[in-house]
Amino acid sequence: MENQIAIKAQHLKKIYRRGIEEIYAVNDISLDIQKGEYVSFIGPSGSGKTTLINILGCLDNPSSGKLSIGDKEIFSEGKTLSEKDLTKIRRELFGYIFQKFYLIPTLTVLENVLLPSTFYKKDGTENHASELLNMLGIDKRKNHLPGQLSGGEMQRVAIARALVNYPQILLADEPTGNLDSSRSHEISEILKDLNQHKELTIILVTHNMELARTADRVVELRDGVVKL
């Protein structure tokens, strides 16, 4: 039977040192995320949400603990995969959405969406990018520059870019943080639709409780630990 766990974290810790002081950004967190699950992380600033999602998404290493993506062990007992292997995992398994969009201002919408495929291009990638823009309702803007778009449109471009390489897991760190309530609701609906109809595993960090509650499970963090 196929393993249904997308991400398995065991006793993860992330410690930062400031002089003689040790700061536990993530402190002994263990959790499983199932394939196709939509999980949101909430908590006040400094609670460890972004640090945790960066570790789960292989963007940062824990100080200790274990992490597996599917049946592949990523971190264990202070050992990690090579940067080459980690890059391959990030490129092939994950899509990333951030609060600040990170669109290249001199590239068109379509060119921005195609950026992740520069070093990992599959047949039909450009058609797939166009299909994503159509699905997200911005196909008529594909030849526009980011400066000609609204905030909501820019975030839709960022979502299309995150999906262009057919990821299995989508990480979204404050995806509505720079948007008004109307645009935030639009992005919320898009994420829920991707989870329900594309069976995409989604991990969301947000301060927006309305958005958080659209997930299958809400995990609250405080001072680097999961609040029970």
Side-chain angles (χ1 to χ4, degrees), residues 36-123:
E37 191 177 13
Y38 184 0
V39 180
S40 63
F41 293 149
I42 63 169
S45 296
S47 61
K49 304 184 303 297
T50 293
T51 301
L52 179 59
I53 198 175
N54 284 344
I55 292 172
L56 298 181
C58 301
L59 296 173
D60 195 7
N61 296 339
S63 301
S64 63
K66 295 182 179 180
L67 176 69
S68 297
I69 309 297
D71 58 2
K72 192 170 189 65
E73 195 169 81
I74 309 299
F75 308 113
S76 179
E77 306 302 333
K79 297 179 181 178
T80 184
L81 296 180
S82 68
E83 185 58 32
K84 181 179 179 181
D85 287 338
L86 286 173
T87 297
K88 187 173 187 289
I89 287 169
R90 295 181 197 120
R91 186 176 61 208
E92 297 181 6
L93 297 185
F94 288 98
Y96 303 94
I97 306 171
F98 303 100
Q99 178 178 347
K100 294 184 179 179
F101 315 139
Y102 294 115
L103 303 180
I104 306 300
T106 55
L107 299 182
T108 67
V109 163
L110 181 59
E111 289 167 340
N112 268 284
V113 172
L114 288 170
L115 268 180
S117 67
T118 303
F119 302 104
Y120 181 59
K121 193 165 186 177
K122 296 181 178 179
D123 290 341

Side-chain angles (χ1 to χ4, degrees), residues 128-176:
H128 180 51
S130 295
E131 289 167 0
L132 288 170
L133 292 174
N134 183 54
M135 179 188 77
L136 293 167
I138 49 172
D139 52 309
K140 293 182 180 178
R141 309 286 262 166
K142 67 180 180 181
N143 294 318
H144 288 66
L145 297 174
Q148 298 171 300
L149 307 178
S150 69
E153 287 172 331
M154 284 192 281
Q155 192 58 290
R156 287 169 184 253
V157 176
I159 292 172
R161 182 185 58 196
L163 297 175
V164 76
N165 278 347
Y166 301 92
Q168 297 177 24
I169 303 168
L170 185 65
L171 301 183
D173 190 359
E174 295 286 2
T176 63

